[in-house]
Amino acid sequence: MTESILATDTRGGGDRPPPARFAYDRHTWKEIAHLLANLPVSLVGFTYVVTVLSTGAFLSLTVVGLPLLAGGLMGARLLGRLERGRARALLGVRVEEPSPLPFHGQSGFLSRLWMALRDPVGWRTVLYDFMRLPWGILTFTITLTSLFVLWPVLPFIARGLANADRAMVRGLLSPSDELERRIAELESDRGVVVDTAAADLRRIERDLHDGAQARLVNLAMGLGLAKEKLLEDPDTAASMVEEAHGEVKMALQELRDLARGIHPAVLTDRGLDAALSAVASRCTVPVKVTADLPMRPAAAIEGIAYFTVSELLQNVSKHSGARSASVDVWRSDNRLLIQVWDDGRGGASLDGGTGMAGLADRLGAVDGLFVIESPVGGPTTITAELPWRDRTEEPARG
């Protein structure tokens, strides 16, 4: 059984190195290199921090003191980035980068200055660099001495000292808290939403240009010719008007299909249960729909759920080779759950070229989850999870 889950762990725990042993392996040599580099790196960081803090504090009574201190804190952010890179390369510590300061949302020099001065990432990096000098001297001395005196047990000594370094990096140089990590996730998700909306607009424009618009142009030309022949050849004109009437019906049908693809009227008027039943009726495979919802979710969540099921049932029709399928929708606590099952050939995956990755991105952009369970030979069970938000009353249409 294969399973693909769209879920990313951003806590920055990292991969643990293998247990220390008497033989020197590449992990041990990397830890030794890191510990020996602690002294020169900590000297640079300590000198920078002391210089910036003392100068900024001394000049804080003047106009240039606070801007200098703010610039020093932004420089400390750069030192923190270099330290995280060193820890990733030599210690295998996977720590997420903090979000940049959102200066673009601030207007005015004073507001930006105040944001830089109260930056928790910068202040924690200052604390990290300030306390690292004695630690750098200690680790450098112990490691260098052990290379000549205690070399048989140096791997175990290096592991203990390196673990303390790992704890310092995770504790002081990681993003501020869950909110920082959440901001980074939302910034990434915002890009996905923008790209998806742009793709949808291009699709609608293409469908209008190639479908209804072209048909309406032909209709206008046909009616113009019929108008010219109305007096000299009424029978031909009547035949052309009849053809134009058929073109009008086709154009209306294409516009209805396009409107249904944007947001179906049945979803707005009757809710998710009726809309999913309508989608299932157009599927080439018999589909059983079960919706157990005590109330309707928010319109945005309802729309995402509808288009998710619609896309999945299209995949069932085109790619699964199934004889039957089912759709179940229910609410569990503050989540809306959707499960689409079919008895087809299986083998579905996020990189299978059937639009699964796009669905996973759309769900991830709204804090959703997308799980595929599709062993080769079937059956396929796809579970989508969305956050539940209560529906608010919409203004009446004029």
Side-chain angles (χ1 to χ4, degrees):
M1 180 181 297
T2 61
E3 183 170 337
S4 301
I5 301 178
L6 185 73
T8 303
D9 184 5
T10 58
R11 291 189 293 271
D15 296 331
R16 290 180 178 272
R21 55 181 181 173
F22 289 102
Y24 283 38
D25 57 12
R26 62 185 181 89
H27 297 284
T28 299
W29 284 116
K30 284 184 176 182
E31 290 172 342
I32 292 173
H34 185 275
L35 295 171
L36 291 176
N38 272 349
L39 179 57
V41 171
S42 62
L43 278 172
V44 173
F46 182 83
T47 303
Y48 175 84
V49 165
V50 170
T51 302
V52 167
L53 289 182
S54 59
T55 306
F58 179 75
L59 296 177
S60 60
L61 299 178
T62 67
V63 177
V64 298
L66 293 180
L68 179 62
L69 183 59
L73 290 173
M74 295 179 67
R77 271 180 164 254
L78 178 59
L79 291 178
R81 180 184 302 174
L82 296 176
E83 274 294 272
R84 283 187 292 272
R86 186 167 74 101
R88 278 193 294 268
L90 298 178
L91 299 182
V93 178
R94 303 180 186 275
V95 177
E96 296 292 330
E97 291 292 332
S99 302
L101 291 174
F103 287 134
H104 59 275
Q106 301 294 322
S107 59
F109 172 75
L110 291 180
S111 60
R112 297 184 180 186
L113 176 64
W114 175 242
M115 175 175 290
L117 288 175
R118 61 186 179 89
D119 176 26
V121 175
W123 283 110
R124 286 205 323 274
T125 306
V126 166
L127 176 61
Y128 176 87
D129 288 326
F130 187 79
M131 61 183 288
R132 289 286 291 182
L133 181 58
W135 176 252
I137 297 173
L138 178 65
T139 56
F140 179 84
T141 304
I142 292 176
T143 305
L144 187 61
T145 304
S146 300
L147 275 173
F148 299 98
V149 180
L150 301 174
W151 59 267
V153 294
L154 179 56
F156 300 94
I157 297 175
R159 178 57 52 84
L161 296 175
N163 283 341
D165 265 336
R166 291 183 176 97
M168 291 183 193
V169 171
R170 292 191 183 111
L172 293 175
L173 297 183
S174 61
S176 298
D177 48 21
E178 186 63 28
L179 179 60
E180 276 283 340
R181 291 190 289 272
R182 185 60 181 152
I183 289 173
E185 292 176 5
L186 291 176
E187 288 177 347
S188 175
D189 292 342
R190 180 177 60 185
V192 173
V193 171
V194 171
D195 292 341
T196 301
D200 288 341
L201 287 175
R202 289 193 298 269
R203 176 183 59 82
I204 293 171
E205 181 183 12
R206 183 179 63 252
D207 291 344
L208 283 172
H209 182 272
D210 298 340
Q213 178 179 334
R215 202 173 288 279
L216 289 174
V217 169
N218 291 333
L219 173 62
M221 293 174 61
L223 288 176
L225 293 174
K227 181 180 179 181
E228 294 177 359
K229 293 181 176 294
L230 185 60
L231 297 178
E232 59 185 46
D233 192 353
D235 294 336
T236 302
S239 177
M240 297 178 69
V241 169
E242 186 176 354
E243 290 181 7
H245 184 251
E247 289 288 327
V248 169
K249 290 183 178 179
M250 294 297 297
L252 288 174
Q253 183 60 43
E254 289 182 358
L255 289 174
R256 289 193 190 99
D257 293 339
L258 181 60
R260 186 184 296 116
I262 298 173
H263 195 85
V266 64
L267 179 63
T268 302
D269 298 336
R270 300 176 56 192
L272 198 56
D273 189 0
L276 294 183
S277 297
V279 171
S281 66
R282 296 193 296 270
C283 185
T284 58
V285 177
V287 181
K288 178 183 178 183
V289 177
T290 303
D292 183 14
L293 299 176
M295 58 186 298
R296 294 179 64 177
I301 299 300
E302 196 174 57
I304 294 173
Y306 170 83
F307 288 111
T308 299
V309 174
S310 178
E311 183 75 19
L312 291 176
L313 289 183
Q314 286 184 30
N315 287 336
V316 170
S317 298
K318 296 177 181 178
H319 308 291
S320 70
R323 295 184 300 274
S324 62
S326 65
V327 176
D328 294 287
V329 183
W330 71 98
R331 177 182 178 180
S332 178
D333 295 329
N334 290 323
R335 308 293 285 182
L336 174 66
L337 286 92
I338 303 165
Q339 193 169 82
V340 178
W341 173 91
D342 70 77
D343 59 358
R345 62 177 65 96
S349 64
L350 290 178
D351 55 355
T354 55
M356 295 291 187
L359 287 176
D361 289 341
R362 288 194 182 192
L363 291 171
V366 292
D367 198 21
L369 190 65
F370 192 75
V371 179
I372 301 175
E373 183 181 339
S374 183
V376 176
T380 295
T381 303
I382 298 177
T383 304
E385 186 177 324
L386 290 165
W388 179 278
R389 292 203 296 268
D390 291 334
R391 192 178 190 87
T392 56
E393 293 296 329
E394 297 180 354
R397 297 176 183 176

